[in-house]
């Protein structure tokens, strides 16, 4: 079994689709092993997305991620990292495959409804970032 970090981003929480996204997670067969609703500070968002600190969109991304509550979850499944990213779809909702969460619920390349870890090492960093042992 593998674990990944998933976030329902502020745009999706504002749209009142937490239930739809959690429903999809359960339908896909992921186990939800941790879950919390929090309003991140700008500093917490900056620390979480530190890998993007030199990208032109970093400031705007961190402002967006701290603009309202998010739902943070640890998901568990065989190949959870890859499978959750497939369920989310491409970063840009316009390029995401039909049937993916970002295609269904994303608004823009920034306001794209959900987050998922992209590798074993990042999943470990991200899970420990929000759920300290
Ligand atoms: P995430 O890490 O949130 O799961 P991702 O791995 O698909 O998304 P990354 O390249 O890691 O994409 O970018 C992190 C987040 O930064 C994106 O989900 C999106 O919210 C924002 N982002 C990425 N590229 C852009 C861009 N060109 N303009 C604005 N925001 C962007
Ligand atoms: Mg990423």
């Amino acid at each position: 079994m593998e674990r990944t970090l998933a976030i329902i981003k502020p745009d999706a929480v504002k749209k009142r689709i937490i239930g739809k996204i959690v429903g999809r997670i359960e339908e896909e067969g992921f186990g939800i092993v941790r879950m919390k609703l929090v309003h991140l500070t700008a500093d917490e968002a900056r620390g979480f997305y530190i890998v993007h600190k030199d990208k032109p969109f970093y400031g705007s991304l961190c402002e967006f991620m701290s603009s309202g509550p998010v739902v943070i979850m640890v998901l568990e499944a065989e190949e959870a990292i890859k499978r959750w990213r497939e369920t989310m779809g491409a970063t840009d909702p316009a390029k995401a495959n039909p049937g993916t969460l970002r295609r269904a619920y994303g608004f823009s390349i920034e306001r794209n409804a959900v987050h998922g870890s992209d590798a074993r090492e990042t999943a470990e960093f991200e899970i420990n970032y929000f759920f300290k042992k």
Side-chain angles (χ1 to χ4, degrees):
M1 284 295 216
E2 186 176 71
R3 289 183 175 193
T4 191
L5 189 94
I7 304 180
I8 303 177
K9 295 187 178 183
D11 57 322
V13 175
K14 279 199 189 88
K15 279 165 76 178
R16 309 174 79 94
I17 54 172
I18 292 173
K20 288 200 167 77
I21 294 172
V22 171
R24 177 67 179 276
I25 286 169
E26 293 188 318
E27 277 165 26
E28 294 286 339
F30 294 98
I32 300 172
V33 296
R34 302 295 299 272
M35 185 180 204
K36 63 181 177 183
L37 183 135
V38 285
H39 191 147
L40 300 178
T41 65
D43 273 347
E44 285 168 337
R46 283 193 280 266
F48 179 71
Y49 276 123
I50 194 76
V51 291
H52 294 307
K53 67 176 169 25
D54 297 323
K55 304 270 171 62
F57 58 80
Y58 181 63
S60 174
L61 171 63
C62 296
E63 208 173 287
F64 160 57
M65 288 300 288
S66 55
S67 68
V70 296
V71 176
I72 309 178
M73 288 166 280
V74 177
L75 307 183
E76 187 174 72
E78 298 290 343
E79 294 198 279
I81 296 169
K82 180 169 143 265
R83 287 195 41 228
W84 174 237
R85 288 188 68 88
E86 284 167 2
T87 305
M88 292 197 302
T91 311
D92 183 352
K95 293 180 184 148
N97 288 332
T100 62
L101 289 169
R102 283 168 165 171
R103 176 69 168 262
Y105 304 125
F107 171 74
S108 67
I109 193 165
E110 178 180 86
R111 294 170 190 243
N112 57 6
V114 281
H115 163 84
S117 312
D118 61 9
R120 279 271 169 111
E121 307 74 61
T122 45
E124 200 185 328
F125 166 80
E126 293 179 356
I127 290 167
N128 288 331
Y129 190 83
F130 287 122
F131 298 99
K132 301 209 168 54
K133 290 196 190 89

